Amino acid sequence: MRTNGFCELTLETPDPQRLARFYADVFALPLLSDERDRVWLGCGEQARLGLWSPGAKEFGDRGGRHVHFAFSVAHGELLAVCDRLRRLGVEHRGPVEHDGGDHSLYFEDPEGNLVEAWEFFEHGEGAENGIAALA
């Protein structure tokens, strides 16, 4: 079986609207919907980021505490993300150069999730070889 990648990721937060503002400020993610107990933001062409208040949702779903996840960003956009993090007063590490020539920024969101902005698929070995470069 082959997938087309992630289509959604959900994070749990006591204040979905506050966390949505953070991600909109850092990555300019568009608002898809703002409901009482959750917010959905667009994330690329085929994915969305869900920010859910604690508690069970339909189909037995609930948000989750994630240790780490990464946003794919273009080579030139990485420094713009770095600038936005500085303006927002968000401590970050990087850009860090990896062995393949690509770079990442690392920071925590307001809920303590470790977030990476990674240019892997946009610059260096990942841009040339895609996911095979990670094998």
Side-chain angles (χ1 to χ4, degrees), residues 22-83:
F22 175 81
Y23 281 105
D25 287 345
V26 173
F27 291 109
L29 300 181
L31 178 67
L32 299 177
S33 69
D34 187 348
E35 302 169 32
R36 179 183 53 79
D37 62 344
R38 71 193 83 175
V39 175
W40 289 105
L41 300 173
C43 188
E45 294 294 316
Q46 298 180 349
R48 64 184 183 168
L49 176 65
L51 307 168
W52 293 7
S53 63
K57 306 295 186 256
E58 64 276 356
F59 311 112
D61 287 348
R62 53 185 311 123
R65 294 283 303 158
H66 297 275
V67 175
H68 168 266
F69 64 99
F71 285 92
S72 180
V73 298
H75 180 61
E77 183 66 15
L78 194 65
L79 293 179
V81 171
C82 189
D83 289 342

Side-chain angles (χ1 to χ4, degrees), residues 112-129:
N113 297 297
L114 180 60
V115 182
E116 178 181 5
W118 190 21
E119 64 178 19
F120 180 77
F121 292 109
E122 304 293 331
H123 183 74
E125 189 177 354
E128 296 169 24
N129 301 314

Side-chain angles (χ1 to χ4, degrees), residues 94-104:
V96 173
E97 184 170 352
H98 302 290
D99 291 341
D102 55 292
H103 299 83
S104 292

